[in-house]
Amino acid sequence: MSAASPAPYDPAAHSTPSQETVPRSRVVLASLIGTSIEFYDFYIYATAAVSVFPLIFFSGDDEAMTFLVSMATFGVAFIARPVGAVVFGHLGDRVGRKATLIGALLTMGLATFLIGLLPTYQQIGLWAPTMLAILRFCQGLGLGGEWSGAALLASEYAAEGKRARAAMWPQLGAPIGFLLANGLFLALVTAAGFDSTDPDPDGVFLTWVWRVPFLLSIIMVLVGLYVRFKLEETPVFQRALQQDERVKAPLGEVFRRNWWELLLGTFVMYATYVLFYLMTTWILSYAIGSTRIGLLGVDYADFLVLQLVGILFFAAFIPISGELADRFGRRPTLMVVTALMIVFGLAFGPWLDPTAMGTGEAMSTPRMVGFLIVGMILMGLTFGPMSAVLPELFPTNTRYTGSGIAYNMSSILGAALTPFIATWLVTEFDVAAVGWYLAAASTITLVALVLTPETRHADLSGVTSARERRADERR
């Protein structure tokens, strides 16, 4: 390694024909539409896991247990996501970003479509939840390869000094997918007259209407495929090809040279995932769950309207987070937001306790909307910069694999277990315990951020990691 500090990345000096000719709008659309579809697929499963699957895919008289088992199948995808990150990461670092993104989209989309065709427990018994779990695993495989590819697509085309703003586009797929999935569910629930507090097992919603969002996903997948087929390879990966910088085994290279970045990336993302699934999946289950097991007993459709309002703040603050991360740096921005997440977690008890919030029709709407807005603002601020931070930690020749593994390992720790643990905490203790869980996760992330180097000016065309670049700068 040279003892001199590396020169700042100059886009003009490293430009390629594809970088000059590919319209920025096409890059934005290709990175945004894929994650929107992926998160749409993911959210319709999450919503159905709370309101539909406990009733039609699982059997038993213990209401709390069937609910927990349904939440456990929701977590299956998070076990699959690191596997998807390894498989698609290898292809992304060896074959290219474009082809790998197409494969990830197909894997996720076909699994989602097939869920809409599954027979129920009443029709084929235990085969129904078994097939549901298998398809849920396939959903996780696809998402495991999707996010890192979309993040690289956006960041590797970005200009110096504007990378967080450019890389925030795939992050917007999360709130867009949520709005599409839950907006459609709300329309269907309303049209079918479904009452989550007193569900009719023979009603049209549980008989067939719930399948519609899963089946419609195939249309979105076809649109996404068209957009991605029109895309060219990123200029950064093209340079890696021209300079023969690819490695034969990206996974082995990542664990040999970038194990520290894997650890940092995993725990930098950890609290973001915990907050994400508390504010999207767990809060829905807490709100519409039966008062007999200590939950709020609110009608599903009524609460979903409030959640859709909150998600607008999530979407609005993602671009703001990109601006902040480019202006002040990744570490300072995320450290402040993570500290605020600790405070937010400590407020769960007084804010959400049923005696203060009210239950059923007596629930305080302003109080719940305030909680959702604050949580979603923090979600946007912490989620937005991640598509710049994680890729910047890794060199070009292992970036797809490294960022994907870090992102999806944190999904196991911070997302797969969160709805299940939070549901158990609130039924065994109280809602304040869920807030302490968020505060503890945020503290762990804050420590990881302290140990993480600032990557705002990292040269993405290089084959050195953030740690190696910082070591060079100190010599």
Side-chain angles (χ1 to χ4, degrees):
M1 295 288 181
S2 171
S5 298
Y9 176 52
D10 179 3
H14 293 82
S15 64
T16 67
S18 70
Q19 190 174 18
E20 295 169 356
T21 59
V22 174
R24 180 65 193 163
S25 59
R26 187 183 300 175
V27 177
V28 168
L29 183 59
S31 63
L32 176 61
I33 194 169
T35 52
S36 298
I37 295 169
E38 302 284 356
F39 279 106
Y40 167 86
D41 290 355
F42 222 65
Y43 285 137
I44 57 175
Y45 189 99
T47 302
V50 170
S51 59
V52 176
F53 293 164
L55 304 173
I56 64 173
F57 280 106
F58 304 98
S59 177
D61 297 326
D62 189 333
E63 187 176 348
M65 182 56 64
T66 58
F67 186 76
L68 284 172
V69 172
S70 183
M71 286 292 97
T73 66
F74 176 76
V76 166
F78 295 98
I79 306 300
R81 283 171 66 165
V83 180
V86 171
V87 173
F88 289 108
H90 179 88
L91 294 174
D93 285 326
R94 290 290 302 166
V95 178
R97 312 327 193 193
K98 174 183 173 178
T100 305
L101 279 167
I102 291 171
L105 182 61
L106 276 173
T107 302
M108 181 88 175
L110 291 177
T112 303
F113 178 76
L114 291 174
I115 288 175
L117 299 177
L118 283 180
T120 65
Y121 181 89
Q122 289 73 22
Q123 293 170 320
I124 61 170
L126 290 175
W127 282 108
T130 301
M131 289 191 291
L132 179 67
I134 292 171
L135 290 175
R136 179 61 174 164
F137 187 87
C138 293
Q139 276 192 315
L141 283 177
L143 190 56
E146 167 62 32
W147 178 87
S148 50
L152 266 59
L153 185 65
S155 61
E156 290 185 346
Y157 269 104
E160 170 69 8
K162 298 181 180 180
R163 199 155 50 224
R165 278 170 281 185
M168 67 87 189
W169 286 107
Q171 303 301 79
L172 275 175
I176 289 172
F178 187 97
L179 288 168
L180 289 173
N182 288 285
L184 179 56
F185 253 107
L186 177 60
L188 293 173
V189 163
T190 303
F194 178 67
D195 182 0
S196 64
T197 62
D198 186 23
D200 178 7
D202 298 317
V204 293
F205 186 81
L206 291 180
T207 302
W208 66 269
V209 172
W210 70 269
R211 301 176 183 274
V212 172
F214 291 90
L215 298 176
L216 287 179
S217 68
I218 198 67
I219 299 174
M220 300 175 65
V221 170
L222 294 175
V223 174
L225 288 174
Y226 172 78
V227 172
R228 288 189 170 173
F229 271 116
K230 300 283 286 183
L231 196 67
E232 296 182 37
E233 192 54 77
T234 72
V236 170
F237 188 76
Q238 285 190 20
R239 283 193 294 274
L241 289 176
Q242 293 165 2
Q243 298 171 16
D244 195 26
E245 292 175 340
R246 290 179 299 170
V247 294
K248 291 183 178 180
L251 178 62
E253 187 76 2
V254 162
F255 279 101
R256 185 175 67 84
R257 290 186 55 186
N258 307 126
W259 60 270
W260 180 241
E261 286 79 14
L262 284 176
L263 285 175
L264 289 179
T266 297
F267 289 104
V268 161
M269 188 74 194
Y270 172 53
T272 299
Y273 260 127
V274 171
L275 179 62
F276 197 5
Y277 284 92
L278 287 179
M279 298 305 303
T280 54
T281 303
W282 171 79
I283 191 63
L284 176 63
S285 67
Y286 179 69
I288 73 172
S290 173
T291 55
R292 293 188 297 273
I293 56 175
L295 308 181
L296 298 184
V298 180
D299 179 70
Y300 168 75
D302 291 342
F303 184 77
L304 189 54
V305 172
L306 305 184
Q307 206 171 21
L308 290 172
V309 171
I311 212 74
L312 295 175
F313 288 84
F314 178 20
F317 277 80
I318 287 176
I320 293 173
S321 72
E323 293 281 346
L324 294 173
D326 276 337
R327 177 173 299 184
F328 300 107
R330 285 52 163 148
R331 288 178 72 245
T333 300
L334 288 172
M335 287 174 71
V336 170
V337 175
T338 305
L340 293 174
M341 287 164 57
I342 295 174
V343 176
F344 180 59
L346 298 178
F348 270 43
W351 208 332
L352 290 179
D353 187 87
T355 57
M357 179 66 72
T359 59
E361 295 181 356
M363 185 195 75
S364 171
T365 298
R367 192 182 188 95
M368 179 58 78
V369 169
F371 175 83
L372 292 172
I373 288 175
V374 172
M376 289 300 184
I377 287 174
L378 291 173
M379 188 61 232
L381 291 174
T382 185
F383 188 65
M386 291 300 174
S387 54
V389 172
L390 297 188
E392 287 169 352
L393 289 173
F394 297 92
T396 299
N397 51 12
T398 58
R399 183 171 295 130
Y400 204 127
T401 301
S403 61
I405 291 176
Y407 180 84
N408 289 294
M409 283 302 296
S410 66
S411 77
I412 292 181
L413 300 175
L417 300 177
T418 288
F420 185 89
I421 290 175
T423 300
W424 178 79
L425 286 172
V426 77
T427 54
E428 292 295 319
F429 301 98
D430 56 26
V431 73
V434 180
W436 281 100
Y437 174 53
L438 173 60
S442 300
T443 301
I444 292 171
T445 288
L446 194 59
V447 172
L449 286 167
V450 170
L451 298 173
T452 301
E454 178 57 57
T455 57
R456 179 171 36 160
H457 298 299
D459 179 1
L460 291 192
S461 65
V463 290
T464 55
S465 67
R467 174 167 49 100
E468 292 167 332
R469 291 192 297 268
R470 186 168 66 170
D472 281 350
E473 291 168 1
R474 288 177 174 176
R475 290 174 184 169

